[in-house]
Amino acid sequence: MKRYLYAIIVLISMQSCYDSGNRNCDQFRTGEFLFKYTLNGEEKESRFVRTDSTEYDYYEDRIDTNTVKWVNDCEYIVKKVNPATLQESKPLHFRILSTSEESYNFEYSLLGDLKNKQRGTAYKIK
């Protein structure tokens, strides 16, 4: 009986580690967003516009078009339409971790790469 009770407590504890609270990912499925990041010690900013199936990234005088495939309400895969390199042709997996009224925190990595995840925050501007 004690083992059974211990197993239930462990399972509940593990679930709480992965429970990110109430996420309202639907409000961030489409729209215009701002993403700030640091590259080589320099603060950068990019803007992207996402429809349900396409994303347009605007950064440093470049515009990239990507396809968007939603895996579930809070996860999606992005793939460049016209990649310039083999590295750019690899899809990225995004997972929304938490949401607020105007932003969402996310993690992303190359699809299938569980070791090299990055995190960021996107702010909805429209």
Side-chain angles (χ1 to χ4, degrees):
M1 179 67 171
K2 287 183 180 179
R3 285 185 182 174
Y4 179 71
L5 189 55
Y6 178 73
I8 290 175
I9 291 170
V10 168
L11 287 173
I12 290 171
S13 298
M14 288 174 55
Q15 174 63 26
S16 66
C17 293
Y18 295 102
D19 184 16
S20 59
N22 293 331
R23 294 180 293 177
N24 185 4
C25 299
D26 283 342
Q27 72 180 5
F28 299 106
R29 197 174 183 108
T30 62
E32 187 173 340
F33 303 88
L34 187 65
F35 173 55
K36 295 181 181 181
Y37 59 98
T38 304
L39 183 63
N40 299 325
E42 187 178 339
E43 183 81 14
K44 302 261 183 182
E45 188 174 280
S46 93
R47 183 175 59 89
F48 59 97
V49 177
R50 184 169 51 232
T51 68
D52 197 46
S53 62
T54 307
E55 186 174 276
Y56 305 96
D57 292 328
Y58 302 88
Y59 64 98
E60 295 184 359
D61 300 334
R62 289 184 62 186
I63 301 172
D64 284 335
T65 304
N66 306 296
T67 61
V68 177
K69 181 180 179 192
W70 287 88
V71 177
N72 59 44
D73 289 344
C74 295
E75 293 182 58
Y76 58 97
I77 297 170
V78 172
K79 187 171 182 180
K80 285 192 187 277
V81 172
N82 296 309
T85 66
L86 182 60
Q87 181 69 17
E88 285 185 358
S89 70
K90 297 177 181 179
L92 293 171
H93 178 247
F94 287 81
R95 181 171 170 241
I96 298 174
L97 302 172
S98 63
T99 63
S100 69
E101 288 294 318
E102 67 279 340
S103 67
Y104 66 92
N105 295 314
F106 63 94
E107 68 180 13
Y108 67 99
S109 64
L110 291 174
L111 185 62
D113 184 356
L114 302 176
K115 293 181 181 179
N116 297 307
K117 293 188 178 194
Q118 302 292 320
R119 289 189 176 210
T121 302
Y123 298 88
K124 191 166 188 176
I125 53 178
K126 285 186 187 179

